[in-house]
Amino acid sequence: MANELTTTIALEYEKGGVRQRVYTTNTITVTGTEVANFIQSIGTSEEAVAVSDIATQGYVYAENLDATNYVEIGLTGKLAVKLKAGESALFRTGGALYAQANTGAVRVHFIVIED
């Protein structure tokens, strides 16, 4: 089967007379069959995101469930995705995920789809 995953991104920005809008939909063929859907408490030291049963992590949805603190997510030593309180992101990972909260532990909702 092909095109099992569909992603839709909508971005609208307007400030100071500048206006930007982007709408993109992609269909992606996924080789793997596993999906992990879980919530993990992330502490203030860099830690592995506990994705089980997924050999090659592909697309990741992450939502910071905290009302105050931000969390950074990425590869070990390269935490490139920053989610402020209540924010979410969709991205493809290039390896095993790691995360770190800034000043207090945060709960993060993850959905990870095998590549």
Side-chain angles (χ1 to χ4, degrees), residues 5-11 22-28 90:
L5 175 63
T6 301
T7 62
T8 302
I9 299 170
L11 178 126
V22 175
Y23 300 97
T24 304
T25 299
N26 293 298
T27 53
I28 299 133
L90 176 67

Side-chain angles (χ1 to χ4, degrees), residues 1 7 17 39 57 60 70-72 85 87 95-96 99 103 108:
M1 208 164 125
T7 62
I39 295 173
Q57 297 171 25
V60 177
Y70 71 82
V71 63
E72 293 177 298
E87 291 183 340
T103 58
V108 180

Side-chain angles (χ1 to χ4, degrees), residues 45-61:
S45 295
E46 186 178 288
E47 64 185 76
V49 175
V51 179
S52 62
D53 299 330
I54 296 185
T56 305
Q57 297 171 25
Y59 272 87
V60 177
Y61 168 82

Side-chain angles (χ1 to χ4, degrees), residues 19-35:
R19 186 177 191 176
Q20 297 291 317
R21 290 184 179 186
V22 175
Y23 300 97
T24 304
T25 299
N26 293 298
T27 53
I28 299 133
T29 299
V30 178
T31 304
T33 59
E34 299 298 326
V35 176

Side-chain angles (χ1 to χ4, degrees), residues 68-105:
T68 306
N69 298 301
Y70 71 82
V71 63
E72 293 177 298
I73 303 167
L75 305 178
T76 185
K78 299 178 183 178
L79 303 176
V81 177
K82 181 178 179 178
L83 299 178
K84 292 184 178 182
E87 291 183 340
S88 61
L90 176 67
F91 57 94
R92 180 187 285 276
T93 185
L97 290 174
Y98 287 79
Q100 181 175 349
N102 70 322
T103 58

